[in-house]
Amino acid sequence: RIDGARLWQSLMDLARIGGTPKGGVCRIALTDLDRQGRDLFVQWAREAGCSIRIDAIGNIFARRAGADDSLAPVMTGSHIDTQPTGGKFDGNYGVMAGLEVVRTLNAAGVRTRAPIEVAVWTNEEGSRFVPVMMGSGVFAGAFTLEHALAQRDAQGVSVAEALAAIGYAGQAGAAPAVGAYFEAHIEQGPVLENHERVIGVVQAALGQRWYDVTVQGMEAHAGPTPMELRQDALLAASALVAEVNRIALDRLPHARGTVGSLEVHPNSRNVIPGRVKLSVDLRAPDDAQLLDMDAALRAACARIAAERGLVIDVEQVVYFPPQPFTPHLVEAVRANAADLGYSCMDVVSGAGHDAVYVARVAPAAMVFVPCADGISHNEIEDADPAHLEAGCNVLLRAMLASAGV
Amino acid sequence: RIDGARLWQSLMDLARIGGTPKGGVCRIALTDLDRQGRDLFVQWAREAGCSIRIDAIGNIFARRAGADDSLAPVMTGSHIDTQPTGGKFDGNYGVMAGLEVVRTLNAAGVRTRAPIEVAVWTNEEGSRFVPVMMGSGVFAGAFTLEHALAQRDAQGVSVAEALAAIGYAGQAGAAPAVGAYFEAHIEQGPVLENHERVIGVVQAALGQRWYDVTVQGMEAHAGPTPMELRQDALLAASALVAEVNRIALDRLPHARGTVGSLEVHPNSRNVIPGRVKLSVDLRAPDDAQLLDMDAALRAACARIAAERGLVIDVEQVVYFPPQPFTPHLVEAVRANAADLGYSCMDVVSGAGHDAVYVARVAPAAMVFVPCADGISHNEIEDADPAHLEAGCNVLLRAMLASAGV
Ligand SMILES: NC(=O)NCCC(=O)O
Ligand SMILES: NC(=O)NCCC(=O)O
């Protein structure tokens, strides 16, 4: 069993780097605070007997040798970059849980057959540099290293320059094989808490399609323009917001439909809106359902445009296919949670995670633990130490089962 | 009959002051361009034999003496300040039409019994200083002179300072009695054009109630948060946008309901909106109907809040009572339009105008003419010279009937 107090202490120590007055963390990818966080991890990993490897996109791999070092490593990890107003647990928990597994194996004097690795993936959040999940995306070949290194932040600094500046531009080369990958993460949603379960056995990550939608109506004076002669872009956009919700409600339990961003032009009290731009985020557990939702969205746009005599333009801007996790690893998570006496339930990951990319090139699974009120990407993000300990114990057992003793 | 070509030429000459490359006019209230426009009007009015009086809020009154100067004047006018991206006709037409009436009377050697006055009201648009319709509002006692003079623009300049700077801070004193007030104005809407009528006989101005509405939901991650556990502020706001439209559609032909402005927080693609602020603009021809719409709005907010488990706050920020125009003056407009052989129809003014305030203290009526595609508050605002001429002829006849010859 892992040492819950030591795990909690590591999380609290790491959270001081970039800690905010409100109790959150602001440790943006590839800043000097990110360097300090990385340096602390590397120091701790070295103290725990690990060797360190950095790849060309700045991913850190801390390796605990196995009995047979020719075997592909059993890997765990996550990220330590945060949102600008992020919390102490998102990402950080997965990395500290990995370190705690290594420390526990050391304390117990356990030698695994396959090596154990703890990964710190670069720029998962995407707050400073897009695309999100950059380090694991390059690792999995979702996009090229060159593409990632060339991205620039709002100040014009490239990923390549930022990596060099903090001393984490490592060696290029093909990504090594991974025997199995496990990632522990806070749920970032309310399902486990609502069901009063401690462990979420993550079956899959939802597929995602993101869109930019523009509704083009006719700007006119709100006073002299009779209701029946209007082409009100906001009225049409509002109908679309309701449809996006309906499209997901018709496909419960796992489908999601969200309009998170909406901008009105000219946005003046007594002017009928002439143009509205909005985002649509559709998610579903399988590609057929996601395509069906795509078709429903396009049909809704066409119908609303025809009914109201205006133009609606739909452009898809992001696509993540649904990503099932590897059945025997998912089963290992479930069986070990049950063995340890933790209440658990099957869940899906509604959000993207590094594990979603790694699952493209290696067997992978995730372990979710509850977070307070389901809140994440927020300085008030919180989690119960007992839940974090439980998730880490499940991680330890599942990794041991994969690595062999 | 008035001289349509001379009227058009005056409008085009005035439009050069603050003229924009796109053919519009930017002549913001109490700027140096406003001063140049005022100076040109004063020069033209003096050349036409008028005496000039400036009041303490900067309203200009150009007076053509009558046979009996003890009679209250028959007044016309409008404003020459514009929106930042305004057109050549909004306001300017009413002032130039008044000047054209004076010139026509001069050319025909007509002496009226009552004096004729042409008013240029200060800051109708309210783009730089609120409240809108400031000069006519002070004249009508809708708010005090002191209140108006103390208002400041975004740079901190007060109305009093701006008036002094352009040399149009005139004499304080009680507003003199007005025998009758007529205002010619472009319709700023599409009704006359749609009905192919040249003259709009304005019965009344709609009452207005403006609101600030805040929908408070719960910000959460769009991926991990199931549909049934959301408090989506934008989804609730969208239902309200549809309701505002419905409230007006249920009360045709004259009721209006518009959400012109809507802002989403945090307005991020993959975050369920936690808070939405929106404006509501309700208009109706009588106060009972407007109050009924107010009740319907508040009921809709309460119902949506209850159904969706979130909080909706409604605050009224502006109220203009419905303003009927004076029946015998309205009849004079209609009779003279018919006499002159112009097609005409009864309309309501959906927008506020200086005449709406003046009608609180004097008999008043308005003459509307079509504007191209109903577009106003836009640099492409346009009007047919023949329609402008027609409206001015109706104005001339109606003023003669009131002033006596
Ligand atoms: N975990 C996370 O916030 N991923 C970002 C992409 C998403 O919205 O799923
Ligand atoms: N004419 C005009 O635009 N007035 C402003 C107030 C309103 O929206 O009616």
Side-chain angles (χ1 to χ4, degrees):
Chain A
R1 292 225 176 187
I2 65 100
D3 180 340
R6 183 170 57 192
L7 169 62
W8 182 260
Q9 192 57 52
S10 305
L11 280 163
M12 295 306 113
D13 288 348
L14 180 56
R16 274 203 292 273
I17 301 173
T20 66
K22 287 187 185 166
V25 180
C26 174
R27 197 190 308 126
I28 312 279
L30 309 187
T31 58
D32 192 67
L33 287 171
D34 188 13
R35 177 194 61 76
Q36 292 176 41
R38 288 163 173 262
D39 286 356
L40 182 61
F41 170 78
V42 166
Q43 177 198 324
W44 282 341
R46 288 219 165 97
E47 287 168 6
C50 293
S51 60
I52 299 293
R53 196 174 79 252
I54 316 286
D55 73 8
I57 193 62
N59 297 320
I60 307 171
F61 301 95
R63 182 181 180 103
R64 182 175 189 271
D68 181 352
D69 256 4
S70 70
L71 291 174
V74 170
M75 189 182 282
T76 188
S78 193
H79 59 96
I80 64 164
D81 69 311
T82 73
Q83 293 279 330
T85 54
K88 304 184 193 75
F89 304 99
D90 177 3
N92 295 283
Y93 170 55
V95 174
M96 292 300 103
L99 186 68
E100 178 56 31
V101 165
V102 169
R103 287 169 168 170
T104 300
L105 295 179
N106 289 350
V110 174
R111 159 150 263 191
T112 54
R113 258 174 37 84
I116 297 285
E117 290 197 4
V118 183
V120 180
W121 304 107
T122 293
N123 181 32
E124 193 270 352
E125 297 289 1
S127 306
R128 180 179 174 194
F129 298 103
V130 287
V132 297
M133 304 185 284
M134 182 177 273
S136 51
V138 168
F139 187 86
F143 39 83
T144 65
L145 173 65
E146 292 66 37
H147 175 77
L149 290 176
Q151 300 306 307
R152 292 183 184 275
D153 68 7
Q155 274 66 51
V157 179
S158 73
V159 169
E161 290 159 3
L163 272 172
I166 66 164
Y168 277 87
Q171 290 298 313
V178 175
Y181 179 81
F182 295 92
E183 182 169 345
H185 207 284
I186 56 169
E187 181 198 350
Q188 302 188 287
V191 176
L192 291 174
E193 196 176 70
N194 268 31
H195 287 81
E196 298 185 355
R197 307 296 169 95
V198 173
I199 299 294
V201 182
V202 189
Q203 306 296 304
L206 300 183
Q208 306 185 21
R209 287 181 188 269
W210 291 5
Y211 306 84
D212 281 345
V213 177
T214 305
V215 182
Q216 184 68 53
M218 172 64 99
E219 197 175 316
H221 196 310
T225 312
M227 300 308 290
E228 59 278 23
L229 297 176
R230 299 179 171 205
Q231 290 168 265
D232 183 334
L234 180 57
L235 188 62
S238 294
L240 189 55
V241 170
E243 277 302 314
V244 166
N245 189 58
R246 169 62 43 206
I247 286 167
L249 282 179
D250 285 348
R251 291 163 179 86
L252 294 183
H254 290 316
R256 314 269 145 89
T258 309
V259 177
S261 162
L262 186 145
E263 259 148 25
V264 179
H265 179 85
N267 210 40
S268 166
R269 279 177 186 285
N270 56 353
V271 180
I272 299 159
R275 191 173 63 244
V276 172
K277 288 180 180 253
L278 59 134
S279 66
V280 175
D281 173 331
L282 299 180
R283 307 193 184 203
D286 69 83
D287 233 348
Q289 187 173 66
L290 193 55
L291 263 178
D292 181 42
M293 292 170 76
D294 175 274
L297 172 68
R298 291 175 192 276
C301 289
R303 182 175 53 70
I304 293 167
E307 279 172 12
R308 299 181 187 268
L310 33 69
V311 176
I312 303 183
D313 179 73
V314 186
E315 188 193 351
Q316 184 181 300
V317 291
V318 165
Y319 170 57
F320 287 105
Q323 181 64 59
F325 290 116
T326 310
H328 73 276
L329 298 190
V330 174
E331 278 317 305
V333 169
R334 190 203 319 280
N336 283 297
D339 255 22
L340 287 157
Y342 299 134
S343 60
C344 66
M345 67 182 286
D346 287 359
V347 295
V348 295
S349 174
H353 290 289
D354 293 309
V356 177
Y357 273 146
V358 177
R360 295 190 183 184
V361 292
M366 292 191 79
V367 180
F368 274 1
V369 294
C371 57
D373 300 320
I375 292 172
S376 180
H377 286 190
N378 193 314
E379 291 171 81
I380 64 168
E381 185 183 88
D382 201 5
D384 183 332
H387 296 162
L388 299 174
E389 177 177 339
C392 191
N393 272 322
V394 173
L395 180 70
L396 167 70
R397 295 283 198 104
M399 290 183 75
L400 278 179
S402 285
V405 184
Chain B
R1 292 224 176 189
I2 65 100
D3 181 340
R6 185 171 55 194
L7 170 61
W8 182 260
Q9 192 56 51
S10 305
L11 280 163
M12 295 306 113
D13 287 347
L14 180 56
R16 274 202 293 275
I17 300 172
T20 66
K22 288 187 183 166
V25 179
C26 174
R27 197 190 307 127
I28 311 278
L30 309 187
T31 59
D32 192 67
L33 287 170
D34 188 12
R35 177 194 61 77
Q36 292 176 41
R38 288 163 172 262
D39 286 355
L40 183 61
F41 169 79
V42 166
Q43 177 199 326
W44 281 342
R46 289 219 165 99
E47 287 167 7
C50 293
S51 59
I52 299 293
R53 196 176 78 252
I54 316 285
D55 73 9
I57 193 62
N59 297 319
I60 307 172
F61 301 93
R63 181 183 181 102
R64 184 176 188 270
D68 181 354
D69 256 6
S70 70
L71 291 175
V74 171
M75 189 183 282
T76 188
S78 194
H79 59 95
I80 64 165
D81 69 311
T82 73
Q83 292 279 329
T85 55
K88 303 184 194 74
F89 304 99
D90 178 2
N92 294 282
Y93 170 57
V95 174
M96 292 299 103
L99 186 69
E100 179 56 33
V101 164
V102 170
R103 286 170 170 170
T104 301
L105 295 179
N106 289 348
V110 173
R111 160 149 263 193
T112 54
R113 257 171 44 80
I116 298 284
E117 288 196 6
V118 183
V120 181
W121 303 107
T122 293
N123 182 32
E124 192 271 351
E125 296 290 0
S127 306
R128 179 179 174 196
F129 298 104
V130 288
V132 295
M133 306 186 283
M134 182 178 274
S136 51
V138 169
F139 187 86
F143 38 84
T144 65
L145 172 66
E146 293 64 39
H147 175 76
L149 290 175
Q151 301 306 306
R152 293 183 184 274
D153 69 7
Q155 275 66 52
V157 180
S158 73
V159 169
E161 290 159 2
L163 272 172
I166 67 165
Y168 277 87
Q171 290 299 311
V178 175
Y181 179 81
F182 294 93
E183 181 169 346
H185 208 283
I186 57 169
E187 181 198 351
Q188 303 188 288
V191 175
L192 291 174
E193 195 176 71
N194 268 32
H195 288 80
E196 298 186 354
R197 306 297 168 94
V198 173
I199 300 294
V201 182
V202 188
Q203 306 297 303
L206 300 183
Q208 306 185 21
R209 286 181 188 270
W210 291 3
Y211 306 84
D212 282 344
V213 177
T214 305
V215 182
Q216 184 68 53
M218 172 65 98
E219 198 174 316
H221 196 310
T225 311
M227 301 308 290
E228 60 279 21
L229 297 177
R230 298 177 171 207
Q231 290 168 266
D232 184 333
L234 181 56
L235 188 62
S238 294
L240 189 55
V241 170
E243 277 302 314
V244 167
N245 188 59
R246 168 64 41 208
I247 286 168
L249 282 179
D250 285 348
R251 292 163 179 86
L252 293 185
H254 290 315
R256 318 259 196 269
T258 309
V259 177
S261 161
L262 186 146
E263 259 147 25
V264 179
H265 179 84
N267 209 39
S268 166
R269 279 177 187 286
N270 56 352
V271 180
I272 299 160
R275 191 174 63 243
V276 172
K277 287 180 180 254
L278 59 135
S279 66
V280 176
D281 173 332
L282 299 179
R283 306 192 185 203
D286 69 82
D287 233 348
Q289 187 173 66
L290 194 55
L291 263 178
D292 181 41
M293 293 170 75
D294 174 275
L297 172 69
R298 292 176 192 276
C301 289
R303 183 176 50 70
I304 292 167
E307 277 172 13
R308 298 181 188 269
L310 32 70
V311 176
I312 303 183
D313 178 74
V314 186
E315 189 193 350
Q316 183 180 301
V317 291
V318 166
Y319 169 58
F320 286 106
Q323 182 62 59
F325 289 117
T326 310
H328 72 277
L329 299 190
V330 173
E331 276 318 304
V333 169
R334 189 204 320 280
N336 283 297
D339 254 22
L340 287 157
Y342 299 134
S343 61
C344 66
M345 68 182 286
D346 287 359
V347 295
V348 294
S349 174
H353 291 290
D354 293 309
V356 177
Y357 273 146
V358 178
R360 295 190 182 183
V361 292
M366 293 190 79
V367 181
F368 274 1
V369 295
C371 56
D373 300 320
I375 292 172
S376 181
H377 286 191
N378 193 314
E379 290 170 80
I380 64 168
E381 184 183 272
D382 201 5
D384 184 331
H387 296 163
L388 299 174
E389 178 178 337
C392 192
N393 272 322
V394 173
L395 180 70
L396 168 69
R397 296 283 199 103
M399 290 182 75
L400 278 179
S402 285
V405 184

